[in-house]
């Protein structure tokens, strides 16, 4: 379908009452190929973390792995200096929901769970993903939270079919599964469009109602990145560094993130 045909089809859906994406939210084949390459590089960066992360290293050691690997792959760590963020990656341990700043004094201990969120610019395009890592002897309740969160991502992806699903379907699938298992969903932060910039429209909420919100259209590139808390969904942001987001009750949080290309069938995972 060329761009003129796509525009007409969007107009038809809009006339039926659907909220439809702007044309600039739908990537061209050339853009998709560039984002696909960036996503593979970003995944390779996370592979390097997965190969080397261990008890006793610091979160700043993770930052070094990300920085060195990214440069080795002739890419740019997008987080570094992004709106003043001082490091190349986010490392969020235990009760930290997101935007944890790597610290040479924060040593990873047996039993910790840590989210490593990497974003990479390669040849002008952006890849974005995060993974959870469980270190040493992790308590059962923490393992359970990590597993529930990964299943939330899977269920969100299953509800991301072009011309069929809406953003509300993604949020509803995630919210219902998390709450069924006694967990809560962070609302203030969510997924987003990505590929030409680090953060683009639309905002992808991980809570919602089915058949509401923007229609998903083939060619859209979004992240789904549910942040699931063991306790309350409420949070607080570190006033000293202005970045690190903690759970309000001090209980654990977990997150998994993929970058996805929306298609007429199962979405294509561009970074994982």
């Amino acid at each position: 379908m060329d761009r003129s045909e796509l525009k007409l089809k969007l107009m038809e859906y809009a006339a039926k009452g659907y909220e439809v994406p702007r044309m600039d939210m739908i990537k061209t084949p050339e853009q998709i190929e560039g984002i696909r390459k960036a996503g593979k590089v970003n995944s390779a960066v996370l592979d390097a973390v997965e190969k080397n992360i261990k008890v006793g290293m610091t979160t700043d050691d993770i930052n070094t792995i990300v920085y060195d690997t990214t440069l080795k792959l002739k890419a740019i760590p997008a987080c570094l200096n992004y709106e003043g963020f001082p490091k190349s990656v986010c490392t969020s341990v235990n009760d930290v929901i997101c935007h944890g700043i790597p610290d040479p004094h924060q040593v990873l201990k047996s039993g910790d769970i840590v989210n490593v969120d990497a974003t990479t610019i390669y040849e002008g395009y952006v890849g974005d993903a995060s993974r959870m890592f469980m270190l040493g002897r992790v308590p059962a309740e923490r393992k359970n939270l990590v597993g529930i969160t990964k299943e939330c991502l899977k269920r969100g992806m299953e509800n991301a079919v072009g011309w069929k699903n809406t953003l509300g379907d993604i949020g509803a699938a995630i919210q219902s599964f998390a709450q069924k298992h006694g967990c809560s969903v962070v609302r203030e932060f969510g997924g987003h469009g990505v590929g030409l910039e680090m953060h683009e429209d639309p905002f992808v909420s991980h809570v919602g109602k089915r058949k509401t919100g923007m229609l998903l259209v083939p060619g859209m590139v979004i992240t789904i990145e549910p942040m699931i808390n063991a306790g309350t969904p409420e949070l607080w942001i570190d006033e000293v560094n202005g970045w690190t987001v903690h759970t309000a009750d001090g209980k654990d949080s977990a997150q998994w993130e993929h970058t996805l290309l929306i298609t007429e069938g199962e979405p294509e995972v561009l970074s994982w």
Side-chain angles (χ1 to χ4, degrees):
M1 183 182 300
D2 64 28
R3 301 292 279 188
S4 59
E5 292 173 326
L6 176 59
K7 190 172 182 179
L8 286 173
K9 190 166 184 176
L10 290 174
M11 290 172 64
E12 291 173 2
Y13 273 90
K16 296 176 184 178
Y18 286 90
E19 179 186 353
V20 299
R22 302 187 310 267
M23 284 295 292
D24 67 321
M25 294 185 200
I26 304 169
K27 304 299 192 285
T28 67
E30 293 77 17
Q31 290 170 336
I32 290 168
E33 184 55 32
I35 300 165
R36 187 179 283 120
K37 291 178 181 178
K40 289 179 179 178
V41 173
N42 192 68
S43 296
V45 171
L46 286 170
D47 287 345
V49 174
E50 187 160 347
K51 182 179 179 181
N52 291 285
I53 193 170
K54 61 184 178 181
V55 171
M57 71 168 23
T58 67
T59 51
D60 198 55
D61 292 330
I62 297 173
N63 183 77
T64 299
I65 292 168
V66 168
Y67 181 82
D68 290 349
T69 304
T70 303
L71 266 59
K72 182 179 178 181
L73 295 171
K74 303 186 186 307
I76 299 168
C79 291
L80 186 59
N81 298 321
Y82 176 79
E83 295 186 357
F85 191 81
K87 295 289 183 173
S88 298
V89 68
C90 296
T91 53
S92 302
V93 182
N94 298 337
D95 72 313
V96 175
I97 296 170
C98 60
H99 302 162
I101 299 175
D103 185 339
H105 303 293
Q106 185 178 32
V107 179
L108 298 177
K109 305 182 299 297
S110 179
D112 283 344
I113 56 173
V114 55
N115 176 267
V116 179
D117 189 345
T119 309
T120 304
I121 301 169
Y122 180 72
E123 295 182 350
Y125 294 97
V126 181
D128 187 9
S130 79
R131 300 179 193 174
M132 291 297 301
F133 298 100
M134 296 185 286
L135 301 174
R137 299 181 64 180
V138 176
E141 57 269 24
R142 281 185 170 168
K143 288 183 179 179
N144 192 43
L145 177 63
V146 171
I148 289 168
T149 306
K150 194 168 189 177
E151 182 65 20
C152 283
L153 171 60
K154 178 176 178 288
R155 289 176 182 242
M157 290 169 55
E158 289 170 349
N159 285 270
V161 178
W163 303 122
K164 175 183 177 182
N165 291 125
T166 65
L167 288 176
D169 293 331
I170 294 173
I174 291 168
Q175 182 179 10
S176 62
F177 186 80
Q179 292 179 344
K180 177 182 176 181
H181 289 82
C183 298
S184 64
V185 184
V186 172
R187 296 166 182 256
E188 290 86 346
F189 299 93
H192 49 86
V194 70
L196 307 184
E197 302 289 342
M198 189 171 176
H199 293 106
E200 303 173 7
D201 291 333
F203 177 75
V204 181
S205 178
H206 300 122
V207 299
K209 294 182 179 180
R210 291 195 174 276
K211 302 307 173 189
T212 66
M214 184 178 290
L215 179 70
L216 296 172
V217 173
M220 294 175 73
V221 178
I222 62 171
T223 71
I224 301 179
E225 47 185 295
M227 295 160 228
I228 307 300
N229 294 352
T232 177
E234 296 175 358
L235 53 83
W236 61 276
I237 300 175
D238 188 314
E239 293 182 357
V240 176
N241 65 41
W243 282 100
T244 307
V245 183
H246 296 260
T247 58
D249 57 8
K251 293 185 178 180
D252 294 325
S253 184
Q255 177 191 14
W256 291 90
E257 176 186 11
H258 287 354
T259 293
L260 306 173
L261 169 65
I262 302 300
T263 74
E264 293 190 20
E266 181 179 342
E268 179 185 345
V269 179
L270 300 182
S271 193
W272 58 92

